[in-house]
Amino acid sequence: MADERTRYFRRLSRLRRSARRWSVTAGGLGGAAAVLTPYAGLGLPDAAWMAGAGGAVVLAAWRWVDLRALAARPAPPALDPAEAAARSRAKLVAAVERLPVGPGVLAEVRRVRSRVALRGTSAAEPWARLDRAALTLAGMTGRLTGLASPAVLEAAEADRSLRDLADRVASVERTLRLAPAEARPPLAEAHRALTAQLEQGVAAYERLVVAAAGYVAGDAHPDAAHPAASRLTEATDLLHGVATALTELRGVGAHLRTP
C-alpha cells in the first residue's frame, strides 16, 4: 500500500545498492584478471576471468546510468494523510470484497456504522424500521420476478433515498442543538418537514414490503396442496399398495404349499 513517493525512494535505493554491488564485483573480477593473467599466461581460464570482469563493468555502468537518470527526476510529492488513509481503506475494502463472505461482512459493517451514526437522533427509529423492512424484502427478492421486477428496482432506489433522508434529518437535528436562538425557528421547521417526509417514506416502504409478501404468498397458491406434499402422498399410497400385494402373495403361496 505504498504511495508513489515511497516507491520512488525504494527504487532509488535498490538501484544504488545494485550499482555498488556490480561495481565491487567488477573491481574484484578485474583485479583477479589483472593478477592471474600475467602470473600464469593467457589461456582459457583467463578468457573466463576477462569475460566476467567485462560483463560486470558493463552492468555496473548501466546501473549507474539508471541511478543518475532516476535521481534526476523530481520525487513525487508527499500524499496528504487523509488521502493516504482513503487509498489504504479502499484497497482493504477491495481485498475483503474478493473473499467469499466479503460483501456480506462489509454490508453488515456499513449497517452498524450507519446505526451508530444516527443514535440519539429522531431518525434512529425510522431508520431501524427501514432497515428491518429492507432485510425482509431482500429475503424475498429472488421470488419477486416477472411483473414484480420493477417494484424491486423502485424499492432499491427508495431505500437509498430514504437512508440519505435519514442522514439529513440527523444532520439538521445536530445543527439545531448548536445553533443560536435566532436561527433555530427555520431549522426546527425544516427538521419537522424532513422528519415527516422520512416517516411517510418509511411507512410507504413497509407497505411495499407487505404487498411483496402478499405477491409471494399468492404466487405460491397457498389454497392448493404443495406439489412436494402431493408427491409424498402418492408415494405413500403406492408403498401401501405394494405392501398389501406382497402380503396377499405370501398368503397365496402358503396356501398352495399346504398338503
Side-chain angles (χ1 to χ4, degrees):
M1 297 185 180
D3 57 0
E4 293 293 333
R5 184 178 178 86
T6 304
R7 284 195 291 267
Y8 170 82
F9 284 109
R10 285 180 181 175
R11 186 183 175 194
L12 191 67
S13 179
R14 284 196 301 268
L15 280 175
R16 184 178 292 109
R17 290 195 302 269
S18 179
R20 291 174 178 174
R21 183 170 57 251
W22 281 111
S23 297
V24 172
T25 303
L29 291 176
V35 171
L36 294 176
T37 300
Y39 178 76
L42 293 175
L44 188 60
D46 301 303
W49 283 109
M50 295 298 293
V57 169
V58 172
L59 284 173
W62 282 349
R63 289 295 183 268
W64 284 112
V65 169
D66 293 341
L67 176 62
R68 290 178 180 176
L70 183 62
R73 291 165 46 189
L79 274 180
D80 182 69
E83 184 179 356
R87 289 188 180 183
S88 300
R89 184 166 55 251
K91 291 180 179 179
L92 180 60
V93 169
V96 173
E97 283 181 340
R98 287 193 292 268
L99 298 175
V101 296
V105 171
L106 290 176
E108 183 63 23
V109 169
R110 293 189 181 103
R111 287 178 58 250
V112 172
R113 185 175 60 185
S114 299
R115 186 186 302 120
V116 171
L118 297 177
R119 184 178 298 171
T121 65
S122 58
E125 193 271 337
W127 189 95
R129 289 167 48 200
L130 174 64
D131 195 50
R132 287 193 297 269
L135 290 176
T136 304
L137 183 62
M140 298 184 291
T141 302
R143 299 183 180 275
L144 296 174
T145 56
L147 297 176
S149 297
V152 176
L153 299 178
E154 290 294 333
E157 182 63 29
D159 178 73
R160 289 190 292 269
S161 177
L162 289 173
R163 291 181 191 274
D164 178 70
L165 181 59
D167 291 335
R168 282 190 287 168
V169 169
S171 299
V172 172
E173 185 172 340
R174 294 190 185 99
T175 306
L176 185 61
R177 296 170 184 172
L178 303 175
E182 61 274 8
R184 287 184 180 179
L187 282 177
E189 182 63 29
H191 180 262
R192 283 192 294 271
L194 291 175
T195 303
Q197 292 179 8
L198 180 61
E199 290 286 348
Q200 294 171 2
V202 171
Y205 192 93
E206 290 173 336
R207 289 193 298 269
L208 173 64
V209 174
V210 173
Y215 175 86
V216 172
D219 188 58
H221 306 292
D223 296 334
H226 195 275
S230 301
R231 289 194 296 269
L232 289 174
T233 303
E234 293 174 0
T236 302
D237 294 340
L238 177 62
L239 289 175
H240 280 305
V242 172
T244 303
L246 289 175
T247 302
E248 292 176 356
L249 286 174
R250 284 196 295 268
V252 172
H255 177 71
L256 291 176
R257 287 195 297 271
T258 302

